[in-house]
Amino acid sequence: MTPERWHAICAYLDDVFGEQSERMASLMPRAVEAGLPDIAVSASVGHFLHVLCKAVGARTIVEAGTLGGYSGAWLARGLEPGGRLITIEPEALHADFAQGEFEAMGLADRVEIRRGYGMDILPQLVDELGPGGVDVVFLDAIKTEYPEYLPHARAMLRPGGLLIADNALGGGSWWIDNPEGSHESRDGADRFNRMVAADEQFDAACVPIREGVLVARRV
Ligand SMILES: C[S@@+](CC[C@H](N)C(=O)[O-])C[C@H]1O[C@@H](n2cnc3c(N)ncnc32)[C@H](O)[C@@H]1O
């Protein structure tokens, strides 16, 4: 498939399955104006996240990689009443922007931004939320660290809970079919995909939407 054809298919997915409010449509353009990088999930991936959270009746969601709060807003809207999203972000510029968006969208009562690095915060959350205390973990931070996030995600997810990871198949400057060693993020994602697929505690699949979304159900 040519890149042009793939882009056209992704645009079709956003058009048909990515309906969103004006505020959501303008979130990333405003974030970019504020100096954030343009690396959020697409509208159709956001809607996919939302559907998955609803499907498992999510009450507690953990996200690694907040950016401007775009995916977080889709996740937060997928929560059951009274549920909460904890989203991890080390960059103050990103976290501050996201906080403003969550407040403006009326989601601040159910979203907490933890300012710090995934590798520091995820183990803390296992202690804090208890083993099996989380319904959905969404990974969208550093691809080379995905394999290290895995034991923490496994520990915090309840049976039937979902591990979801963006960029399972690509990340703008790399694709998973590039040669091994050509990009550290490619190799991190490849290692992570294979670890999850081989992990008896997960039942895993990967959807080639946009840059690839891995979905694995905790056994
Ligand atoms: C791809 S963006 C997240 C996009 C967001 N999930 C969305 O779709 O709207 C990755 C984010 O991870 C943050 N990040 C960088 N290093 C991190 C780390 N070690 N732990 C957690 N997040 C990190 C970046 O600052 C950036 O905001």
Side-chain angles (χ1 to χ4, degrees):
M1 183 172 319
T2 62
E4 292 75 21
R5 189 156 195 196
W6 183 242
H7 282 290
I9 288 172
C10 290
Y12 172 86
L13 290 172
D14 286 341
D15 182 33
V16 177
F17 297 104
E19 189 183 343
Q20 58 186 339
S21 66
E22 273 183 32
R23 174 120 208 145
M24 284 293 278
S26 70
L27 190 155
M28 280 313 300
R30 286 183 289 104
V32 169
E33 231 170 79
L36 280 68
D38 194 9
I39 51 174
V41 299
S42 62
S44 52
V45 170
H47 196 236
F48 184 47
L49 297 176
H50 175 87
V51 168
L52 291 173
C53 293
K54 284 283 185 198
V56 297
R59 294 184 175 280
T60 306
I61 303 174
V62 171
E63 175 183 53
T66 314
L67 191 64
Y70 183 76
S71 56
W74 283 104
L75 294 166
R77 291 201 176 104
L79 284 164
E80 291 296 305
R84 66 172 166 156
L85 164 68
I86 299 173
T87 179
I88 303 167
E89 177 57 58
E91 295 290 336
L93 178 71
H94 303 184
D96 291 345
F97 183 91
Q99 184 63 40
E101 291 301 308
F102 293 137
E103 283 168 13
M105 289 189 274
L107 296 170
D109 60 339
R110 73 205 75 164
V111 182
E112 183 194 339
I113 302 174
R114 288 283 169 100
R115 293 169 187 249
Y117 297 103
M119 282 309 298
D120 295 330
I121 308 272
L122 287 170
Q124 290 170 16
L125 290 176
V126 176
D127 290 342
E128 189 180 317
L129 302 170
V134 173
D135 303 295
V136 173
V137 174
F138 176 52
L139 302 180
D140 195 15
I142 303 295
K143 314 313 158 191
T144 52
E145 291 183 1
Y146 274 20
E148 292 163 78
Y149 300 155
L150 182 58
H152 308 299
R154 189 197 295 110
M156 66 174 77
L157 279 168
R158 67 161 166 86
L162 296 180
L163 170 63
I164 311 172
D166 193 37
N167 303 108
L169 301 178
S173 54
W174 58 273
W175 288 102
I176 207 73
D177 62 339
N178 294 152
E180 191 180 347
S182 58
H183 198 294
E184 57 178 9
S185 295
R186 192 221 76 92
D187 292 351
D190 181 40
R191 200 153 77 83
F192 173 77
N193 290 341
R194 292 175 190 278
M195 284 169 74
V196 181
D199 192 325
E200 290 185 352
Q201 295 303 314
F202 285 107
D203 196 3
C206 184
V207 184
I209 179 174
R210 190 175 160 265
E211 294 171 336
V213 182
L214 178 146
V215 183
R217 182 178 178 275
R218 178 76 163 85
V219 173

